[in-house]
Amino acid sequence: MLSRYYVEQNSLYQTPQKSDEEDKKYNVWDYVFLDGEDLHTRYKRANKYGPILFRFNLDMLMSPSIKLIQITKSNPWYWKENTLMSQKFYNSSEEFKNDYLTSKKLDSQIMFLIKSPEKEIKLNKFLHSIGVDIPKLLINLVGGSQMSVGDYAFQAIEKSLKENGLNHIPILKRHGGNLTTCGCHRNYNYLYTFDYKEFKKRFGKNK
């Protein structure tokens, strides 16, 4: 997993985010961002950042290959010129424990900002598993056949892991691949019907 700075400097593809300019302005562009929890599960809806979830082993936090870890109190999108460092980041583990997963604070604002000298997180070392949303929406494939977009994404990830020597990493289907009461199915049906461009962006492959 790469920092957006690294991706930009090496002319690789990345999906634009509304906070890109603020992240550059407030000097966090060179960090890898990780959410503090699974937002899909928390809010019972599709994650707006995409249908793929990377789960990392916690021992990554103690690795000597990680230069710096900072934990945000709020999303950098909301920072202002006069926002103090003490308002942006937690200053101690005690302060963090007081808020994290205690319902005292909006946990989606809490993010782990990770900086390594290589500007990346090695998936073969630290990735625990990959979660994939499995919408039951059919897409047309080359050759005229059809497949559900969730299974298409699952197979594409499976193929990529194998090609890169990472096929030891488990891939898990969200909700076991079954329809549930989670709002994600309604979210994807809406995008498929009314905003196919966004739907395609979330599930399309980019070189």
Side-chain angles (χ1 to χ4, degrees):
M1 181 174 283
L2 307 172
S3 74
R4 284 172 294 165
Y5 170 85
Y6 181 98
V7 173
E8 182 179 64
Q9 290 298 304
N10 288 273
S11 300
L12 302 174
Y13 175 83
Q14 62 183 331
T15 305
Q17 302 293 336
K18 65 179 183 180
S19 63
D20 284 350
E21 291 306 314
E22 282 72 20
D23 292 341
K24 291 178 181 179
K25 179 178 180 180
Y26 296 119
N27 200 32
V28 293
W29 184 247
D30 199 15
Y31 289 72
V32 176
F33 281 60
L34 300 179
D35 285 322
E37 67 170 326
D38 181 352
L39 300 181
H40 185 131
T41 297
R42 164 55 72 92
Y43 297 113
K44 300 186 186 308
R45 60 163 172 75
N47 192 319
K48 294 180 180 179
Y49 290 107
I52 312 301
L53 176 71
F54 283 13
R55 300 181 178 94
F56 287 90
N57 292 310
L58 288 177
D59 56 7
M60 175 185 69
L61 300 178
M62 302 300 293
S63 172
S65 65
I66 302 300
K67 179 181 177 182
L68 177 66
I69 300 173
Q70 292 182 288
I71 306 174
T72 66
K73 290 183 175 181
S74 62
N75 192 315
W77 169 254
Y78 300 108
W79 294 353
K80 305 297 181 184
E81 290 284 358
N82 60 348
T83 303
L84 302 176
M85 288 295 288
S86 60
Q87 296 172 313
K88 295 178 180 179
F89 299 105
Y90 285 97
N91 295 309
S92 68
S93 58
E94 290 74 19
E95 185 185 15
F96 171 64
K97 289 177 182 178
N98 188 56
D99 283 350
Y100 185 52
L101 301 182
T102 61
S103 298
K104 296 179 181 179
K105 185 177 178 65
L106 188 64
D107 289 306
S108 60
Q109 296 288 312
I110 296 177
M111 291 176 285
F112 292 79
L113 274 55
I114 298 176
K115 195 168 191 177
S116 71
E118 294 80 18
K119 308 184 189 308
E120 63 184 10
I121 297 176
K122 295 287 188 182
L123 300 185
N124 61 330
K125 288 184 178 180
F126 303 119
L127 189 60
H128 174 274
S129 59
I130 299 174
V132 184
D133 292 359
I134 308 291
K136 303 297 184 180
L137 297 165
L138 295 178
I139 57 172
N140 297 317
L141 304 179
V142 175
S145 61
Q146 291 185 316
M147 177 184 290
S148 80
V149 69
D151 289 329
Y152 174 79
F154 186 94
Q155 291 184 15
I157 293 171
E158 192 174 45
K159 180 175 182 288
S160 181
L161 290 177
K162 185 175 182 180
E163 290 174 348
N164 290 279
L166 299 172
N167 52 313
H168 63 283
I169 297 173
I171 314 173
L172 308 175
K173 293 184 178 182
R174 175 80 66 174
H175 308 307
N178 300 312
L179 292 175
T180 69
T181 57
C182 178
C184 63
H185 302 290
R186 182 171 62 254
N187 300 149
Y188 288 128
N189 281 328
Y190 177 88
L191 292 176
Y192 186 83
T193 304
F194 299 107
D195 192 355
Y196 194 77
K197 181 179 179 181
E198 175 65 21
F199 180 84
K200 186 175 180 181
K201 183 177 76 172
R202 296 194 188 190
F203 285 96
K205 292 193 294 185
N206 293 282
K207 300 297 184 181

